[in-house]
Amino acid sequence: MTLLDTTDTGRGLLTADRYRAELDDGRELYLDGKRISDPAGHPAFKPAADEIGRLLDLQHHPDHQDLLTWQDPATGQRLARAYQPPRTVEELRVQRRSAEFWHAESLGQHGRSPAFMASIAVGLYDFRHQLEKARTGFGTNAEAWYHHTSRNDLVLSHALGDPQIDRSADPVDDPDLALRVLSENERGIVVRGAKQLTTLAPLAHEVLVYLSASFAQRRGEQFVVWFALPLNTPGLVTLCREPLGSSPWGHAHPLGARFDEQDAMLFFDDVLVPWDRVFLLRESELARTGLGRINAWSAYIGHVRYRERLRTLLATATLVAESIGVDGFRNIQEDLGTLAGYAELTEYFLDAAEARATVTDSGLLAPGDTAASRVWSAEVAGKAVDIVRGIGASGLLMQPTANDLANPRLRPHLDRYMRGRGIDAEHKSRLFRLAWELTGDGFGQRQDLYEFVHRGDLARNRINLYRRYDQSSVRERLQRLIAEPTTSPEVQS
């Protein structure tokens, strides 16, 4: 079957069992120098795969089906709600409510949730007419790929950034600095290079490859390409970073184990991309304008996820403050109020995106521009984490393990000196370990860095905001004000 087979209705909504089985697809996946044959069964990935599977199973639960799924009018199938192309404000808002449910279940830790990536597939589908104008067949490919992903409920990843080799150099002079098209033939295009940082790649079915905003500085149309591939494509090699959800000392890491989405480098070793999986080729201006267009819904859904992360940080900080009796201190309440303000502002940004929604040329309703809210989110992300760290302070570093608590020689000391206000040492230990995992250990630091980098270069985003902001009316009033000399009022004697 090719993507252009419109008679295929796919396999429908994923279940946990089917999802785990489909990851055992022969992909070339490496962790710590060893090839991994079945990521869903490997200890480094199994807890995260099981968590995604648990959430996918909720789509079949009668209590959640109407929220998490929708009926495709073309096939009568129930599909994941995140794949629904919204055409009305209500359809946009139900996507938001569906994403809120998913991200509440994952405590705002799933940056590359299936709900997020499905919205990018919707964006590509929306942009299909522009792609078709650029080259006959590419828009059809985009539409076919959207139907393929939605009707099979595929879990997706995306790859944008180039390797960090020498960012001062130009890929034209050193082609290994960016993924490039080597050649074209009757079967498709051949690409060589690498992409970072591909979050969720070991746990996804397919990857969508396109360009980050930094590509505008490049010369050479051979670097301008959009396509999608299964992660078991021959010649595509996936290298994972060190897992963050385990400890050699056996400490519990409930967040890291369940929500470490993994980040990976993708190496394209002269990979053939079939023509029906190519969406854009050698069209720099189209790629530049299309980047924001296809991400319109993902930016909106991403803000839903960030709202839940802020709510999680606020609730954690409050519980920590209560557990050590500082919740009544004025400075602590001020810090908690700052976090509450951050969480509340995300609601305003989402409401504004809905209020400013516009109909695209394909008839979908796209959320209003969220560029300013993305800049704000990156600016406050580190501050939110610092507040939790400041309240927990040194207590975040020194908490007993489960084995410490089980040691009869240590336990009396722990009960006496490591308890909290109204809670025993064991409960306090679990709470503070949760706070440390959110803010301080490898998983917490990865999540913090993710918030800073995944929205793109902060300085560039600020500059783009400045350049795009319409100051014309205010500038005109000021120019009129200063056009004539200021006259002083006559002094009355």
Side-chain angles (χ1 to χ4, degrees), residues 12-25:
L13 290 170
L14 273 171
T15 64
D17 289 342
R18 196 185 104 207
Y19 167 64
R20 287 188 289 259
E22 289 177 354
L23 291 180
D24 186 8
D25 58 5

Side-chain angles (χ1 to χ4, degrees), residues 322-368:
E322 291 171 351
S323 75
I324 55 176
V326 299
D327 53 306
F329 293 5
R330 182 179 175 85
N331 62 310
I332 299 298
Q333 291 184 349
E334 182 181 9
D335 285 341
L336 294 173
T338 298
L339 274 178
Y342 291 166
E344 183 76 3
L345 279 171
T346 58
E347 294 278 357
Y348 300 160
F349 292 140
L350 288 164
D351 291 345
E354 292 166 3
R356 295 182 175 187
T358 57
V359 178
T360 69
D361 59 5
S362 74
L364 301 192
L365 191 69

Side-chain angles (χ1 to χ4, degrees), residues 6 83 102 114 121 136 143 232 340 347 388 452:
T6 56
Y83 276 114
W102 180 287
T136 301
E143 181 174 2
N232 65 347
E347 294 278 357
V388 183
F452 184 74

